[in-house]
Amino acid sequence: MPTNHTTRRPREFAARLASRVESTPLARHMLRAYLAGMPRGERYSDIAELLLGELFANAVLHTDAPTDRLVEIRFALVSDRLRLEVHDAGSGRPSLRRAPALDGEHGRGLLLVNELAEKWGCCPRAGGVGKFVWALIAPAPGFTELAFGAAADLLAV
């Protein structure tokens, strides 16, 4: 007798990467692959990749954790929001710089996160070692929403 089951795509993803700036593109690649498997995942990709890159780089560059510690990334679709998390073993907490130097190379990452994420924050990790920074990302409007507004849900294809 045939079984009637549907294959479910994972709603959550987690990976641990080396705590090196060179791991940032790999983290973004993993996010891109995760979103490619999600229905309408492309609506999150541009902002999500940018913010994940900033959060990952911050976890690597601004940590007091030993260099052999890994950085964990997590992605999850929660309702229609993408939740990004970057876990590290460092004790410092991120803070916004209100006026980075105009000619400075650093200091804008959290400003981008603050402006582009719907919400973001920092929490201690379970077990008391380190922290994780999270961001919620709303989907960018797709073509039908831009063209038809709220009536897009009423369109039949």
Side-chain angles (χ1 to χ4, degrees):
M1 182 169 244
T3 60
N4 186 9
H5 66 79
T6 49
T7 304
R8 291 186 161 219
R9 294 187 173 126
R11 293 285 179 202
E12 297 180 22
F13 175 85
R16 292 183 179 151
L17 304 173
S19 183
R20 300 187 328 233
V21 174
E22 295 81 16
S23 297
T24 306
L26 179 57
R28 287 193 307 260
H29 175 76
M30 290 176 170
L31 175 60
R32 200 171 322 135
Y34 170 81
L35 291 173
M38 293 292 130
R40 301 175 69 155
E42 74 280 354
R43 295 177 62 201
Y44 303 92
S45 61
D46 291 337
I47 291 174
E49 285 185 49
L50 174 66
L51 297 189
L52 178 63
E54 294 297 336
L55 294 176
F56 193 91
N58 281 351
V60 171
L61 295 172
H62 304 292
T63 187
D64 57 359
T67 57
D68 64 341
R69 298 296 171 102
L70 300 175
V71 174
E72 183 172 316
I73 55 174
R74 294 183 186 182
F75 323 131
L77 279 174
V78 180
S79 297
D80 66 340
R81 299 300 187 258
L82 176 65
R83 181 178 172 96
L84 301 178
E85 294 180 9
V86 176
H87 297 240
D88 69 75
S91 62
R93 298 184 59 101
S95 61
L96 282 173
R97 295 182 189 172
R98 290 291 172 199
L102 293 176
D103 59 349
E105 294 292 319
H106 302 286
R108 292 175 182 79
L110 279 181
L111 288 173
L112 287 171
V113 172
N114 193 55
E115 289 300 316
L116 297 175
E118 189 172 80
K119 294 179 185 178
W120 73 277
C122 181
C123 301
R125 288 174 63 192
V129 177
K131 66 180 171 309
F132 68 94
V133 180
W134 58 270
L136 280 182
I137 301 168
F143 172 75
T144 54
E145 289 88 351
L146 288 173
F148 300 104
D153 293 336
L154 303 175
L155 294 176
V157 180

